[in-house]
Amino acid sequence: MGLPLNRLFDDKNDIIKTHECTSRVDTNKILGVVGSGYTVVQNATAFQFIDTLIKGIDGSNNKIDVQRAGVLDGGKRMFIQAEIPQTIKINGSNDEVKQHVLFLNSHDSTTGVITLFTPIRMVCDNMLNMVLREAKNKLIFKHTKNVNDKLNLNDKEKVKMAMEILTGQEKHAKMLEEELNYLSNVKVDEAIVKRIVS
């Protein structure tokens, strides 16, 4: 067990100056220890991407349906996931893969502000980690000193950038659709199944 902080830092010269901590304003609970160059991004700022994508660059409604939001680890990370209307159909059948856009913000320096597209419906922390690891189409803003300026989507160029992210998703969805259609035609016999599961 370590010493209490007030005993560790009796001398003002012992105070660590290279790091700071982030904390919740409602409970004063420490969320993370971060470098001195870390800049906090409030969740409201980080999730302006959602409003931009829902309204569209020209004010139209893209019909993105916000389905879930959550706080993980007592506020260290917060996410919002929305379903987008385009689905992937496997070989023209009724078998569909729904697509989602995920927005994530952390306050403990584990991630930046992230926007990504995934066919996975996020329901827990383990699934979030898998989505972050596997996603190919993602945009990350690091918590540097000018991060809030980059996230200010009042500027027309930045709104355009957010819409380009949405357009880029269509390309990745098409690639996934081709892979899934290919896999749906692969014949797997009993011997292969036994070899995989054993």
Side-chain angles (χ1 to χ4, degrees):
M1 182 183 280
L3 291 170
L5 287 178
N6 61 347
R7 288 187 58 199
L8 283 173
F9 302 117
D10 284 339
D11 186 345
K12 288 184 180 177
N13 293 324
D14 290 336
I15 294 175
I16 297 171
K17 295 177 181 163
T18 57
H19 287 75
E20 300 172 353
C21 70
T22 56
S23 63
R24 291 179 59 144
V25 293
D26 56 345
T27 63
N28 289 328
K29 179 182 174 185
I30 292 175
L31 299 174
V33 176
V34 298
S36 58
Y38 182 92
T39 300
V40 171
V41 176
Q42 297 298 333
N43 291 326
T45 302
F47 299 135
Q48 283 178 349
F49 271 113
I50 294 172
D51 289 335
T52 301
L53 292 174
I54 289 173
K55 293 172 185 171
I57 194 168
D58 58 357
S60 64
N61 190 335
N62 286 318
K63 296 184 181 166
I64 294 178
D65 182 23
V66 175
Q67 295 194 318
R68 66 195 54 79
V71 176
L72 304 169
D73 300 326
K76 291 180 182 179
R77 295 192 285 178
M78 184 174 181
F79 73 91
I80 294 180
Q81 189 170 40
E83 186 177 298
I84 57 179
Q86 296 84 8
T87 60
I88 295 172
K89 291 197 173 184
I90 311 301
N91 281 335
S93 69
N94 290 330
D95 192 5
E96 290 184 332
V97 176
K98 294 184 178 179
Q99 298 178 75
H100 304 89
V101 58
L102 176 72
F103 303 87
L104 176 70
N105 185 29
S106 79
H107 300 289
D108 61 355
S109 77
T110 54
T111 69
V113 179
I114 299 175
T115 303
L116 62 83
F117 292 89
T118 177
I120 299 169
R121 187 171 67 92
M122 219 283 290
V123 293
C124 67
D125 199 27
N126 288 336
M127 198 165 282
L128 173 61
N129 292 329
M130 183 181 74
V131 166
L132 289 172
R133 192 172 53 250
E134 301 295 329
K136 303 222 177 358
N137 185 19
K138 59 185 165 185
L139 178 66
I140 303 172
F141 293 102
K142 294 183 180 179
H143 287 266
T144 54
K145 66 178 180 179
N146 60 351
V147 65
N148 285 295
D149 291 335
K150 290 179 181 177
L151 290 169
N152 179 4
L153 294 181
N154 294 329
D155 180 274
K156 193 169 184 176
E157 283 301 308
K158 291 171 184 163
V159 173
K160 183 179 176 186
M161 178 186 69
M163 297 312 298
E164 284 172 358
I165 297 166
L166 189 59
T167 303
Q169 176 272 339
E170 294 174 5
K171 172 185 155 190
H172 288 276
K174 185 68 178 165
M175 289 167 56
L176 177 61
E177 183 175 29
E178 289 171 3
E179 289 176 18
L180 292 175
N181 282 327
Y182 170 77
L183 289 172
S184 71
N185 292 317
V186 174
K187 302 296 180 193
V188 180
D189 62 23
E190 189 176 338
I192 293 173
V193 172
K194 285 181 179 177
R195 195 166 60 236
I196 292 171
V197 297
S198 61

